[in-house]
Amino acid sequence: MSWFTASHIEWLAVILATIATFVVGFAWYHPRTLGPLWIRLVGLTEEEVRTAPPLRFVATGVVAFVTAIVLNVLMVELSVLSVGGGALFGAFLAFVMRAGNQVIHHGFELRPHTLTLVNGGHDIVALAVAGAIIGAFV
C-alpha cells in the first residue's frame, strides 16, 4: 500500500482533528444541547451516563485518531487541499459512511429516527471539523 505512508500524514493536524472531535461531541451531547434528548432516545439515565466506565473515552479516542489519519491520507491522495474542501469532504464521508451506517442499523434495530438524526448529525459535523483542520495543514 504505497499510498498509505507516514509521509502523507500531518501529525499535528491529526492530533488537532482528534481533539476537535471530542470538542464537537462534548458540545453536541452536552446537557444544555442534545444530551438529554440522546439519553432519552438510547434509554439510559443521566446517572448511567455519568458513571459509565472511562474506557469508552479511550476507545473513542483511538477510533477518532485512526479516523483522522485515514481522512488525512484520503485528502492528500484525492488532492483535497483546503479548509473548505476538507470540511466538505469530511462531511460527505461522514454522511455516506457513518450516518449511512446508522440509517441501516437503526432501521433494522427499530430505533427512533430522531436518534439516527442526532448521532448522524454529530458524525457529519465532527468529520467536517476534522476535515477542515486537516485541510488547513495539507
Side-chain angles (χ1 to χ4, degrees):
M1 292 193 314
S2 63
W3 59 269
F4 199 94
T5 64
S7 65
H8 288 115
I9 301 169
E10 293 289 341
W11 291 106
L12 179 58
V14 165
I15 291 167
L16 292 174
T18 301
I19 292 167
T21 62
F22 275 94
V23 172
V24 170
F26 177 80
W28 195 267
Y29 295 105
H30 191 274
R32 292 189 181 155
T33 59
L34 296 172
L37 174 62
W38 177 82
I39 287 171
R40 189 175 75 247
L41 291 169
V42 296
L44 297 173
T45 66
E46 288 183 30
E47 179 66 20
E48 289 171 317
V49 172
R50 190 171 50 258
T51 60
L55 182 60
R56 64 192 167 136
F57 290 108
V58 174
T60 299
V62 169
V63 170
F65 184 70
V66 171
T67 299
I69 290 171
V70 171
L71 184 59
N72 183 150
V73 170
L74 289 173
M75 286 174 60
V76 169
E77 287 300 312
L78 296 172
S79 298
V80 180
L81 308 174
S82 68
V83 172
L88 185 61
F89 186 68
F92 175 75
L93 279 182
F95 178 77
V96 172
M97 302 286 204
R98 290 175 66 167
N101 182 55
Q102 290 181 47
V103 167
I104 293 165
H105 287 285
H106 288 175
F108 281 99
E109 294 166 357
L110 304 178
R111 294 208 175 226
H113 298 298
T114 307
L115 178 61
T116 305
L117 292 173
V118 169
N119 288 338
H122 164 264
D123 287 346
I124 292 167
V125 171
L127 282 185
V129 170
I133 291 168
I134 292 167
F137 284 80
V138 294

